[in-house]
Amino acid sequence: MRSTPFASDLAFLRSHTSPLLLGDAPGPQVVVAPEYQGRVLTSTIGGDAAPSFGWLGRAAISSHARQPHMNVFGGEDRFWLGPEGGQFALYFKKGDTFDLAHWQVPEGFDWGPWDVVRQSSADVQFRKRLSLRNYSDTAFDIEVNRTVRLLGQSDIATALGIALAPAIRAVGFESANAVKNAGTVAWQPDTGLVSTWILGMFNPSQATTIAIPYLPGPETALGPIVNDAYFGKVPGDRLMVSPSVIFFRGDGQFRSKIGLLPARATPIAGSYDATGHVLTLVQYTRPAGAHRYVNSMWAIQQDPYAGDVINSYNDGPPAPGAPPLGPFYELETSSPGLGLAPAEEHVHVHRTIHLVGPDTDLDAIARAVLKVPLADVAGAFRAPSQ
C-alpha cells in the first residue's frame, strides 16, 4: 500500500474537519486536528505531488460517528495514556476479561475536540482535562498540555547529529506532552501509575521494515532483547534479531506487536520503505535512570512496572476473516510510570522525522542514527533471489 498524495489527503480532511496547518507550501507541512484530540494526522516534505506520510482512518473520519472500542482516525502522533492491560489498566473496566470484546480506549483521548490554547504558523498548543479510573478502581484527575511544533531543517540536522545531503528532503515535528496531576492525592505505585504514550500510525507496504536498535548484553542482566508476546509470538519471517538491531515487518498484513525494556532501548527507532525511499525516524525523551515503565500486557501481571519504553505494532486481521483496524504500522514511545504529587507534571517529547532521497544519502543517515546499513534494513526479510 502506497501513501496518497498530500494534496489529496488534505482535501479529504478539510471536507470532514477543520485541520490546522503548520508550515507553508511548497515547503514541509504538518496537519494537526483539534477535533481529533490534537493529533498530528499527516505531514509532507512539500512540492508537487508530495507524499503524505501519516495513515488516515478514512472510514472513521468520514462517518462522523463514534465507533466501538476505538475511533480509528489514524495519524502520525496521537496522545494516549498507559497502561493498556493489567491490574492497573485504563482500557478495561474492573472485572472485565482482557480481550478485544472488552477493550475500550478511554473517551477523553479517543473522542471529542481538545481546546486550542495558542497557535502560530509553526506550533499549536492544546489543553484537556481527563478523569479516568483504572482496573483497580483508582481515580485520576489529569490535565494535559500538548504542544506540536514543526521542526526546521537545521533542527532536524541537530536532532539527528548529522548534516543532511543536498538531495535529501525532510519534514520533522515533535509533540511535547505535559501530564499534570490535577487531583488532590499523589499517584502511588501500589494503586497504579499512568504513563504518557505517543503512537504514530504510518502507511504499510510490502517493502517496509521497522528497525529498532537495542543495547546488547546478557539476558540475566538486561532481560530479554525483545518482547513479542503481546498478541502471540511473532513468526521468524516477521521478526529478526541481529547483533544490534531488531527488524520487524511493517506490511499491515499480520497483527503483531513488539516492545523493548528500558534496559535494552536506545533513544531511537525507525523504519524504511524501500519502494518510496522513505526513511522514518522517531526519537523521544527519557529521564536519566528511569526504569519503572508500566506494563500493558493484557493479563494480571506479576510486575506491573516491568513494561516497555518503545513499541511497534503491525496491524492485520485480529481473527481469520475479520477486517483489520487499518491496515497500518505503528512506532510508539512511552514515559516512565508517573508518580506525581498534586500539581506536579511531567513532559514527554516524541519526535518524528521523514527523509526522502537517494539510498546512498539515506544510508549515511541510517548508519549514523540507527547504526545499521540501509541495505540491511531493506533486505532483512527479502528472499535470497530478490
Side-chain angles (χ1 to χ4, degrees):
M1 180 181 295
R2 297 294 303 280
S3 64
T4 54
F6 177 76
S8 175
D9 276 355
L10 183 59
F12 167 77
L13 292 169
R14 282 175 165 164
S15 71
H16 293 286
T17 186
S18 299
L20 304 177
L21 205 57
L22 305 182
D24 298 304
Q29 293 180 289
V30 173
V31 182
V32 191
E35 187 176 352
Y36 305 143
Q37 305 79 55
R39 73 184 66 197
V40 175
L41 284 169
T42 191
S43 63
T44 186
I45 53 177
D48 294 338
S52 182
F53 295 119
W55 179 84
L56 301 181
R58 288 176 173 251
I61 290 171
S62 60
S63 74
H64 298 273
R66 294 182 65 170
Q67 306 298 312
H69 305 299
M70 173 187 177
N71 290 284
V72 191
F73 299 127
E76 296 190 60
D77 182 315
R78 75 178 188 273
F79 178 94
W80 272 13
L81 292 170
E84 189 173 9
Q87 54 266 52
F88 302 136
L90 298 175
Y91 298 69
F92 295 89
K93 294 179 182 177
K94 185 175 182 178
D96 281 351
T97 54
F98 295 108
D99 56 31
L100 196 58
H102 292 92
W103 175 71
Q104 179 61 55
V105 181
E107 178 179 352
F109 48 87
D110 184 53
W111 180 260
W114 283 24
D115 295 332
V116 176
V117 177
R118 61 171 180 80
Q119 66 180 103
S120 72
S121 61
D123 65 2
V124 56
Q125 180 185 347
F126 301 95
R127 181 170 295 153
K128 182 69 176 180
R129 290 292 296 261
L130 304 172
S131 294
L132 305 175
R133 191 170 292 272
N134 71 12
Y135 191 86
S136 295
D137 213 27
T138 302
F140 295 90
D141 292 314
I142 301 169
E143 180 180 290
V144 182
N145 282 279
R146 168 177 163 85
T147 301
V148 177
R149 180 172 74 96
L150 173 67
L151 301 177
Q153 299 300 293
S154 61
D155 295 326
I156 293 172
T158 298
L160 298 181
I162 183 174
L164 302 183
I168 292 290
R169 301 179 67 193
V171 60
F173 59 89
E174 65 183 25
S175 66
N177 304 275
V179 170
K180 178 189 290 185
N181 181 347
T184 59
V185 178
W187 300 343
Q188 301 288 348
D190 59 350
T191 54
L193 302 178
V194 302
S195 68
T196 304
W197 185 9
I198 305 299
L199 307 92
M201 306 169 82
F202 306 102
N203 297 297
S205 79
Q206 291 293 333
T208 296
T209 300
I210 294 146
I212 307 177
Y214 70 92
L215 298 175
E219 188 168 326
T220 52
L222 301 180
I225 293 173
V226 60
N227 173 14
D228 68 340
Y230 280 94
F231 302 118
K233 189 170 181 60
V234 181
D237 63 345
R238 295 188 160 272
L239 176 65
M240 187 176 76
V241 179
S242 79
S244 61
V245 179
I246 297 163
F247 299 110
F248 183 48
R249 294 200 69 170
D251 61 356
Q253 299 299 309
F254 187 87
R255 185 171 182 253
S256 48
K257 183 175 178 177
I258 62 172
L260 276 72
L261 294 168
R264 294 288 189 183
T266 74
I268 190 79
S271 65
Y272 179 61
D273 174 5
T275 301
H277 302 277
V278 179
L279 179 63
T280 296
L281 300 170
V282 166
Q283 300 173 319
Y284 65 101
T285 51
R286 182 172 161 193
H291 64 277
R292 187 172 59 189
Y293 284 79
V294 301
N295 191 338
S296 280
M297 296 290 291
W298 288 18
I300 299 298
Q301 303 146 3
Q302 183 176 357
D303 187 348
Y305 299 108
D308 298 320
V309 59
I310 294 177
N311 291 101
S312 183
Y313 171 78
N314 186 47
D315 194 37
L325 287 174
F328 49 82
Y329 73 93
E330 292 183 323
L331 296 172
E332 315 167 5
T333 71
S334 293
S335 76
L338 302 178
L340 302 180
E344 187 179 5
E345 73 173 18
H346 177 273
V347 180
H348 179 74
V349 178
H350 179 103
R351 183 179 301 122
T352 305
I353 298 170
H354 302 287
L355 305 118
V356 180
D359 278 358
T360 52
D361 294 332
L362 295 177
D363 176 68
I365 298 170
R367 288 174 184 267
V369 179
L370 296 175
K371 310 303 182 184
V372 64
L374 193 70
D376 288 7
V377 183
F381 300 106
R382 187 179 295 159
S385 60
Q386 290 182 285

